[in-house]
Amino acid sequence: VQPAEYDVCYLGDYLTRYRDITPLYQACKKRNLKAAIVGNSDLQLDSAEGIRIEPRVSRKEAKQIEEFSKIITILENKGINGPSIQIPGKLYHYALTDKPILVITESQEIKKYYAKYNRFVFAENNEQAIFEAISRILAGEDIGVQNMRLKDFSPEKIVDEFVTLIEKQEKILS
């Protein structure tokens, strides 16, 4: 594996009931982007020139793919009866890297909350929006985000906030 082998990577399962990865796949395939899409799925995507498709890999191999990718992608879950309210855990994990993070959204809910951090690039889940976001990131355009670790998302900060909330709750109950 060579450094920056992939323009973009998606690491995670993508069952069609929950996540629509097809627009990302098509954006990469039609425009000859180098991509790694790794995870279990009920969808049969074919590897193409420059596109690596495979089922879930070891954590060590996933970290290596992440390391050798220019952009890390998060794919928001589709809502079953309206927008999804699930916050992708990978959002917190990837926010602790210095890589550009593309968050492909199914609704505006996640974007409304997380845009304030100026850390994530958001694109609606359609081929054109995804391609435009990837192109702007790869071109190094100033898109208003900072590719640096978010201290607010560090395990220490989250634990401190959680303990503070518990202490406040205990005071209220006593």
Side-chain angles (χ1 to χ4, degrees), residues 42-81:
D42 57 351
L43 185 64
Q44 187 65 37
L45 297 177
D46 295 321
S47 290
E49 176 103 21
I51 299 179
R52 173 183 176 179
I53 306 290
E54 64 180 279
R56 197 180 286 185
V57 296
S58 69
R59 178 153 171 69
K60 179 180 177 185
E61 191 171 352
K63 290 294 290 174
Q64 188 176 40
I65 293 167
E66 180 184 313
E67 182 180 337
F68 295 133
S69 296
K70 296 175 186 173
I71 302 168
I72 303 170
T73 305
I74 296 171
L75 189 57
E76 181 185 8
N77 282 358
K78 297 188 276 188
I80 306 265
N81 296 317

Side-chain angles (χ1 to χ4, degrees), residues 12 14 38 50 53 64 76 84 87 105 115 118 122 127 157 169:
Y14 50 99
V38 178
I53 306 290
Q64 188 176 40
E76 181 185 8
S84 173
I87 297 168
T105 62
N118 298 324
F122 296 93
E127 185 181 322
K157 174 82 172 176
Q169 189 67 25

Side-chain angles (χ1 to χ4, degrees), residues 12-13 16 24 27 31 35 38 60 67 70 72-73 85 98 101 110-111 124 127 130 142 150 152 159 161 164 168 172:
D13 295 341
T16 55
L24 173 64
R31 291 160 177 99
V38 178
K60 179 180 177 185
E67 182 180 337
K70 296 175 186 173
I72 303 170
T73 305
I85 58 170
D98 57 2
I101 302 166
I110 285 186
K111 182 177 180 179
E124 291 181 20
E127 185 181 322
I130 292 167
D142 181 5
L150 271 182
D152 284 354
V159 166
E161 288 179 6
T164 300
K168 284 181 183 179
I172 291 170

Side-chain angles (χ1 to χ4, degrees), residues 92 110-120 122 144-146 150 152-153:
Y92 289 87
I110 285 186
K111 182 177 180 179
K112 284 179 191 175
Y113 183 78
Y114 289 98
K116 67 184 175 187
Y117 292 103
N118 298 324
R119 177 64 181 95
F120 309 101
F122 296 93
V145 299
Q146 300 174 10
L150 271 182
D152 284 354
F153 287 16

